[in-house]
Amino acid sequence: MAILFKTNKQLESHIEEFLNSVSEGAIVFEQGVKCYIENDSENFSAHLKNINELENKADDLRRTIESMLYTHTLIPEHRGDVLGLLENTDNVIDTMKETLYQFDIETPDIPNALEKDFLNLTSVSIKSAEMLVHAIRAFFVEARAVKDHLHKVLFFENEADRIGNNLKRKVFQMDLDLSKKIHLRYFTLHIQNVSDRAEEVADRLAIYTIKRTI
Amino acid sequence: MLLIYLSSGLFLGWSLGANDAANIFGTAVGTKMVRFKTAAIICGVFIIIGAVVGGAGTTHTLGKLGAVNAIAGAFMVATAAGVTVFWMTKLKMPVSTSQAIVGAIIGWNLFTGSPTDYDSLKKIIFTWIFCPILAALFSMVLFSVVRFIMNRTRMHLLTVDKYTRIGLIIVGAFGAYSLGANNIANVMGVFVPVAPFDDLNVANLFILTGTQQLFFLGGLAIAIGAYTYSRRVMETVGGNLLKLSPETALIIVLAQALVLFVFSSQGLEQWLISHGLPAFPLVPVSSSQAVIGAIIGVGIIKGIRGLKYHTLGGIAIGWVTTPLVACVITFISLFFLQNVFNQQVSQNMSYLMDNVRLIVETLYATSLHKFPI
């Protein structure tokens, strides 16, 4: 029984670390996009490295959590849900890492007139991911509070869609090569993807929370 | 010879353990919160303790209903109850050992011309009806309290899991104790007046009376039933039939255990009487019906609509059909045991009725006279 209690504590801290990684990943992603737009290549590279490490750490933690849940048959009623939750949350940080890498590989040329819009879109999109992390933390400790955070996830996802659409409209109204326009549209979509992934997890979480409430 | 006669009671105990242990640990094992071996060992140990320590109260009530006073008669009463349970289970009809044994005792009373104590019978029938209702009330209160606590404390899902596991084991042990105390009368009650055991001094530590030794054997039979045959029942209950969360299961097992406890605890009875409160009658009840009552209680609180009325109807029908079937089987089989196998199924009895001492010679010969071959 003592081993079980120790495992419980370890697992709690692993879940915390996993969520911290996602949350930190969101901040690093925002900083990375900002550095790219401001042509601060040194810090951009540092953020790229950082998000890569955070994503790897999140992957390792997720696998450890999965293995511990099944080895020690913990939370048998909810472990399927918890695994689904962690795997899909992992997709959020994956998307952030992939997007930052695309900035590094494809080096999109962002006109000065659109810099503010891109920063704004990034900020709103990662807010959705941050609210998701709050909601997941609540799922583990205070199921009743989950919906207080979930509606914010959905709000910021809608907001990201709105800003993204405006941005794309602006891009296509500018006097640019079509190839450039399409390139910028893709980057808008990549950034929007972060909040889309967060919304997908939020939808699952809403169902898991109903199951979790006695 | 004694063991052959006791075998029917032991078989009844075995089948009770095989079926009713699942009411206590079914969800815990089915949802993999507790390993089967852990559950079976805890269940077995506490059933035996409950039977030996707390089995006297309900046995006394069954004894008042009809004191089966010849071992062959006791054998047939327990066999008939066992056959009834087995047969009705095969026919997928709701059945309870408690109800079968009461019917069987009345069958013996009728066959031997012994009077049935209608006050005891009324008390027993009232308790059967009250049992699922009380279980529902207990589970409603417990569920509300647990939900209140869980909504107001910030407990991690894993911490809840930890406490639920501990709770399932502790409550399971209490449930096993209550099952042993309440249902041992079904298994061994009819053998009490005819048990030939002398008091046994166990290593100068404590003395086991003849009745307690009998209860120990019965408890052992229930425990063996739980260990050898309840696994599949537990996995069915936990995995398919009820679909309870471990937290809800904890509440339901506790409600059921409390019901079985209040209907078997002499200590509680004395405490209530000493405080001028009405005491619960000490009557063997059906743990399965208590579980159904408790589940309905939680359902009511959760606001679930569409209660399965045919399940409730099944319980009510079981109150009538089970004793009736057991009574008829006992009557017929006693006839054969006495007249075909020449076994003594009852002895001389004397009854004290009001101020008139009425000696009723219901001898073996008398019975023979009544039912000639």
Side-chain angles (χ1 to χ4, degrees), chain A residues 1-199:
Chain A
M1 203 55 105
I3 295 169
L4 186 74
F5 295 164
K6 206 178 156 195
T7 313
N8 269 1
K9 276 279 151 221
Q10 276 179 343
L11 201 53
E12 271 182 42
S13 85
H14 285 334
I15 292 170
E16 272 303 299
E17 275 184 70
F18 174 84
L19 294 174
N20 288 345
S21 301
V22 179
S23 187
E24 267 180 61
I27 299 166
V28 171
F29 174 70
E30 189 184 18
Q31 291 299 313
V33 174
K34 198 174 165 218
C35 288
Y36 178 85
I37 288 171
E38 288 170 357
N39 287 322
D40 181 356
S41 57
E42 195 182 324
N43 276 325
F44 175 76
S45 300
H47 290 311
L48 196 63
K49 191 172 166 243
N50 201 355
I51 202 164
N52 193 30
E53 282 168 3
L54 285 168
E55 198 270 333
N56 286 339
K57 189 182 169 191
D59 271 345
D60 290 343
L61 283 165
R62 179 178 55 78
R63 287 193 194 99
T64 311
I65 293 164
E66 282 176 4
S67 147
M68 282 173 88
L69 280 177
Y70 276 89
T71 314
H72 300 281
T73 55
L74 296 169
I75 46 168
E77 282 290 293
H78 301 290
R79 66 182 165 200
D81 296 348
V82 169
L83 294 193
L85 197 58
L86 298 186
E87 275 169 15
N88 284 287
T89 308
D90 200 28
N91 288 343
V92 179
I93 189 168
D94 275 355
T95 308
M96 292 192 282
K97 186 191 92 172
E98 285 303 316
T99 307
L100 217 49
Y101 264 93
Q102 272 150 353
F103 272 105
D104 186 45
I105 296 163
E106 299 179 21
T107 57
D109 186 10
I110 299 173
N112 288 341
L114 298 178
E115 283 178 359
K116 240 184 166 177
D117 295 291
F118 268 99
L119 286 175
N120 196 17
L121 175 64
T122 310
S123 168
V124 169
S125 202
I126 67 131
K127 272 207 177 92
S128 170
E130 281 174 346
M131 287 302 145
L132 176 71
V133 172
H134 285 307
I136 297 172
R137 282 192 215 277
F139 171 78
F140 283 107
V141 292
E142 197 184 5
R144 279 199 320 164
V146 172
K147 62 174 186 285
D148 296 339
H149 302 292
L150 281 186
H151 82 93
K152 288 180 191 158
V153 177
L154 304 183
F155 171 80
F156 286 116
E157 195 276 331
N158 282 333
E159 198 59 10
D161 280 350
R162 190 184 60 79
I163 296 168
N165 288 338
N166 285 343
L167 181 55
K168 280 181 270 182
R169 211 166 280 126
K170 272 189 188 174
V171 167
F172 281 92
Q173 281 164 1
M174 287 175 93
D175 184 22
L176 294 168
D177 290 344
L178 182 62
S179 60
K180 265 194 170 181
K181 287 179 180 175
I182 292 171
H183 200 201
L184 289 174
R185 185 192 68 177
Y186 270 123
F187 272 84
T188 312
L189 286 175
H190 288 320
I191 297 169
Q192 274 180 267
N193 271 344
V194 174
S195 61
D196 287 342
R197 295 291 88 78
E199 188 197 27

Side-chain angles (χ1 to χ4, degrees), chain A residues 1 4-5 8 11-12 15 72-79 82 139-142 144 212 214, chain B residues 31-33 143 146-147 150-151 154-159 161-162 165-166 169 245-247 302:
Chain A
M1 203 55 105
L4 186 74
F5 295 164
N8 269 1
L11 201 53
E12 271 182 42
I15 292 170
H72 300 281
T73 55
L74 296 169
I75 46 168
E77 282 290 293
H78 301 290
R79 66 182 165 200
V82 169
F139 171 78
F140 283 107
V141 292
E142 197 184 5
R144 279 199 320 164
R212 158 102 162 78
I214 79 158
Chain B
T31 55
K32 298 185 172 60
M33 290 292 277
F143 186 81
V146 169
R147 191 158 67 173
M150 283 183 74
N151 284 342
R154 287 169 54 92
M155 252 195 286
H156 198 280
L157 185 61
L158 288 156
T159 313
D161 178 76
K162 181 174 75 183
R165 266 167 216 267
I166 299 170
I169 289 173
S245 72
E247 293 84 25
K302 276 187 163 181

Side-chain angles (χ1 to χ4, degrees), chain B residues 25 91 177 239 274 320 327 356:
Chain B
F25 275 109
L91 294 174
Y177 173 90
S274 70
V320 181
C327 178
V356 186

Side-chain angles (χ1 to χ4, degrees), chain B residues 117-200:
Chain B
D117 179 356
Y118 286 102
D119 278 343
S120 295
L121 186 62
K122 265 192 284 182
K123 197 163 81 174
I124 288 169
I125 291 171
F126 163 77
T127 311
W128 287 347
I129 298 166
F130 189 49
C131 161
I133 297 170
L134 188 65
L137 291 174
F138 276 155
S139 72
M140 284 162 84
V141 172
L142 288 168
F143 186 81
S144 306
V145 169
V146 169
R147 191 158 67 173
F148 180 83
I149 293 169
M150 283 183 74
N151 284 342
R152 269 154 192 80
T153 50
R154 287 169 54 92
M155 252 195 286
H156 198 280
L157 185 61
L158 288 156
T159 313
V160 174
D161 178 76
K162 181 174 75 183
Y163 288 140
T164 309
R165 266 167 216 267
I166 299 170
L168 281 169
I169 289 173
I170 294 171
V171 169
F174 175 50
Y177 173 90
S178 301
L179 181 70
N182 188 280
N183 278 17
I184 191 67
N186 300 338
V187 177
M188 285 291 147
V190 287
F191 294 98
V192 169
V194 289
F197 297 113
D198 295 324
D199 288 0
L200 185 72

Side-chain angles (χ1 to χ4, degrees), chain B residues 3 9-18 40-41 43-52 180 184 187-188 212-228:
Chain B
L3 212 63
L10 296 176
F11 171 70
L12 199 59
W14 178 84
S15 67
L16 191 135
I41 289 169
C43 201
V45 168
F46 280 90
I47 282 173
I48 294 171
I49 295 173
V52 175
I184 191 67
V187 177
M188 285 291 147
Q212 282 177 324
Q213 290 167 53
L214 196 65
F215 286 174
F216 178 80
L217 279 178
L220 201 62
I222 303 175
I224 292 170
Y227 198 83
T228 56

